[in-house]
Amino acid sequence: MNQLLRNNIARHVSLSEDQLQQFHDLFEPRLFKKKSYFLSEGQICAHEGFVLKGLFRVYHVDAKGVEQVLYFAPEDWWIADIDSFSNQKPSNLFIEALEDSEVLVISRKNKDLAYEHFPAIEKLFRIMTQKTHVALQRRMIDNLSKTADKRYQDFLAKYPDLYNRLSNRQIAAYLGISHEFLSKIRNKLAKEK
Amino acid sequence: MNQLLRNNIARHVSLSEDQLQQFHDLFEPRLFKKKSYFLSEGQICAHEGFVLKGLFRVYHVDAKGVEQVLYFAPEDWWIADIDSFSNQKPSNLFIEALEDSEVLVISRKNKDLAYEHFPAIEKLFRIMTQKTHVALQRRMIDNLSKTADKRYQDFLAKYPDLYNRLSNRQIAAYLGISHEFLSKIRNKLAKEK
DNA sequence: GAAAAACATTGAACAAGTTCAACAAACGCA
DNA sequence: TGCGTTTGTTGAACTTGTTCAATGTTTTTC
């Protein structure tokens, strides 16, 4: 039983050691090289993944070819296109490894099995989805009410560890601004100090 | 058993008539006059509500006093501050009736009871949260990639029924723009035709 | 270790959206 | 029915952010 996954689960629900092990057995480890894709637009998301090592970006590409990053997923995060995975329909997202990564993946079939056999797993994913939803609501409000400048500083404060692992282009795509403008913000902030 | 609630549930999971009735018995009907609040900032969200009649707005007020609308909830929608309700912590949202409204409410205690006794209810709320999360992701992407002009037109196309029931100020607060600018967009669109 | 590719920075011109102020129209209610 | 409040509109000046193009820097890759 992987420790990172065990702690991730234990943070939300309590499961017996035996059940934890059974749940764990439904996953299989998989490696992703930097720049390889966990999921591409058009594909049906067949697996949900728990990141053990590395870093992914989950993003959308709009009609003009501009990328919007929904979130970054480093160690201890889950990756999937929920919509595509749950409803077995083609995804409109990309999930790309930004570093060589290690993931525990579970198939749709095995996840249904887990839901069926372990009510606590159903609860676990309800709670996790609620939390990510609350976080996204928070981000939505911030995007509507704060300037890019403030959002950048908030990002740095919230994800200090990610800052060194991401290019400014990636951060700009997360903040919803052009990378040129982010460069100007950085310049301005540097001068202020 | 209320028909609107029955259909809302049946759309996602299947429950026996008996279980549906037992679940329904955990709710109580409540009336909200126009301009009254289902929830105010600072309060702990004690109930989750299912709107039978009327219309609510769920919004946040930022440091400058500007309101951001997270969503509108007409008939057949659920209302609550998930974060406050789940974690019993003070809310930073307002949920206000925009029309005289009728709501079925369930307390935190009764909802826990339902989760405990009916696994299908746990599943129901997992699925519903997933759906609202996917919808919010979609909206996040749109806000990052589309102009206010396009977002306004999309809003009209998506919620044609809400259009007549909301002031332009409310719609502007949802789109994340000033009401003056919305007025200019409307003017421009009217001229184009 | 060199060439190619991706990344970061800067400036100038432009587009999108805000703010403030003034006024007209519609609504709520006593 | 009328008065006060909220809502919608418009214009001018301003701020925030984009686009494009040029230049230098760092990373990949073979």
Side-chain angles (χ1 to χ4, degrees):
Chain A
M1 176 72 196
N2 178 281
Q3 276 306 318
L4 199 60
L5 180 59
R6 179 206 301 276
N7 293 339
N8 185 280
I9 294 171
R11 231 172 287 141
H12 302 114
V13 296
S14 55
L15 271 178
S16 72
E17 197 54 38
D18 185 45
Q19 287 185 322
L20 273 171
Q21 190 56 53
Q22 284 185 60
F23 181 52
H24 182 261
D25 289 346
L26 298 174
F27 288 77
E28 67 177 87
R30 200 167 287 184
L31 296 176
F32 289 87
K33 282 224 167 274
K34 183 170 177 171
K35 293 196 183 176
S36 70
Y37 284 83
F38 178 87
L39 178 71
S40 291
E41 183 170 24
Q43 290 181 344
I44 291 174
C45 183
H47 296 88
E48 185 154 0
F50 177 71
V51 183
L52 294 178
K53 191 166 157 296
L55 176 60
F56 289 84
R57 64 195 264 250
V58 180
Y59 67 102
H60 174 259
V61 180
D62 72 18
K64 289 178 206 135
V66 179
E67 299 175 357
Q68 293 91 35
V69 171
L70 278 174
Y71 60 97
F72 298 109
E75 307 76 19
D76 206 25
W77 283 63
W78 293 83
I79 45 176
D81 175 348
I82 297 181
D83 197 20
S84 173
F85 183 78
S86 303
N87 305 315
Q88 295 290 290
K89 68 188 204 191
S91 176
N92 32 45
L93 301 179
F94 294 89
I95 303 183
E96 183 197 6
L98 293 177
E99 301 173 357
D100 289 348
S101 302
E102 217 175 303
V103 181
L104 284 178
V105 307
I106 184 170
S107 67
R108 171 68 203 271
K109 188 182 284 184
N110 278 348
K111 203 176 170 203
D112 281 345
L113 223 68
Y115 281 155
E116 208 176 310
H117 290 30
F118 313 120
I121 296 297
E122 184 89 50
K123 182 179 285 284
L124 171 68
F125 282 91
R126 171 180 62 79
I127 293 173
M128 289 200 326
T129 309
Q130 280 182 357
K131 293 205 172 182
T132 55
H133 186 64
V134 167
L136 188 59
Q137 278 191 345
R138 182 77 252 159
R139 188 174 160 212
M140 189 77 212
I141 289 170
D142 286 353
N143 262 282
L144 293 176
S145 64
K146 296 178 177 168
T147 62
D149 185 322
K150 182 81 174 86
R151 265 145 52 210
Y152 176 61
Q153 296 189 65
D154 288 353
F155 180 84
L156 294 189
K158 192 163 182 185
Y159 305 107
D161 46 323
L162 285 187
Y163 168 67
N164 327 318
R165 298 164 74 182
L166 293 169
S167 68
N168 288 330
R169 291 172 115 91
Q170 301 299 348
I171 296 176
Y174 178 88
L175 298 176
I177 58 178
S178 66
H179 67 275
E180 293 98 329
F181 189 53
L182 176 56
S183 179
K184 285 160 197 172
I185 288 173
R186 287 161 50 79
N187 183 295
K188 198 200 73 183
L189 291 178
K191 275 183 188 157
E192 281 175 8
K193 294 190 177 168
Chain B
M1 177 72 198
N2 178 280
Q3 276 306 317
L4 199 60
L5 180 58
R6 178 207 301 274
N7 293 339
N8 185 280
I9 295 171
R11 231 172 286 141
H12 302 114
V13 296
S14 54
L15 271 177
S16 71
E17 197 54 36
D18 186 46
Q19 288 186 321
L20 273 171
Q21 189 56 52
Q22 285 184 60
F23 182 52
H24 181 261
D25 290 346
L26 297 174
F27 288 78
E28 65 177 89
R30 201 167 286 184
L31 297 176
F32 289 87
K33 281 223 168 276
K34 184 171 176 171
K35 293 195 182 176
S36 70
Y37 284 82
F38 178 87
L39 178 72
S40 290
E41 184 170 22
Q43 292 180 344
I44 290 174
C45 183
H47 296 88
E48 184 154 0
F50 177 71
V51 182
L52 294 178
K53 191 167 157 298
L55 176 61
F56 289 83
R57 63 195 264 250
V58 180
Y59 67 102
H60 174 259
V61 179
D62 72 18
K64 290 180 207 135
V66 179
E67 299 175 357
Q68 292 92 34
V69 171
L70 278 174
Y71 60 96
F72 297 108
E75 306 77 18
D76 207 24
W77 283 64
W78 293 84
I79 45 176
D81 175 348
I82 297 181
D83 196 19
S84 172
F85 183 78
S86 303
N87 306 315
Q88 295 289 292
K89 68 188 204 190
S91 176
N92 32 44
L93 301 180
F94 293 89
I95 304 183
E96 182 197 7
L98 294 176
E99 300 173 359
D100 289 348
S101 300
E102 217 175 303
V103 181
L104 284 178
V105 308
I106 183 170
S107 67
R108 171 68 202 273
K109 188 182 286 183
N110 278 348
K111 204 178 170 202
D112 280 345
L113 222 68
Y115 281 154
E116 208 176 307
H117 289 29
F118 313 120
I121 296 296
E122 185 90 49
K123 182 179 284 282
L124 170 69
F125 282 91
R126 172 181 61 78
I127 294 174
M128 289 201 326
T129 309
Q130 280 182 358
K131 293 204 171 181
T132 56
H133 186 66
V134 167
L136 188 58
Q137 278 190 345
R138 184 75 250 162
R139 188 174 160 210
M140 188 80 210
I141 289 170
D142 286 352
N143 262 282
L144 293 176
S145 64
K146 295 178 178 170
T147 62
D149 185 323
K150 182 80 174 87
R151 265 144 54 211
Y152 176 61
Q153 297 189 64
D154 288 354
F155 180 84
L156 295 189
K158 192 163 181 186
Y159 305 106
D161 45 324
L162 285 187
Y163 169 65
N164 327 315
R165 297 165 74 181
L166 293 169
S167 67
N168 288 329
R169 290 172 117 92
Q170 301 300 348
I171 295 175
Y174 178 87
L175 298 176
I177 57 176
S178 66
H179 66 276
E180 293 98 327
F181 189 54
L182 176 55
S183 178
K184 284 161 198 171
I185 288 172
R186 286 161 51 78
N187 182 295
K188 198 200 74 182
L189 291 178
K191 275 182 187 156
E192 281 176 6
K193 294 192 179 169

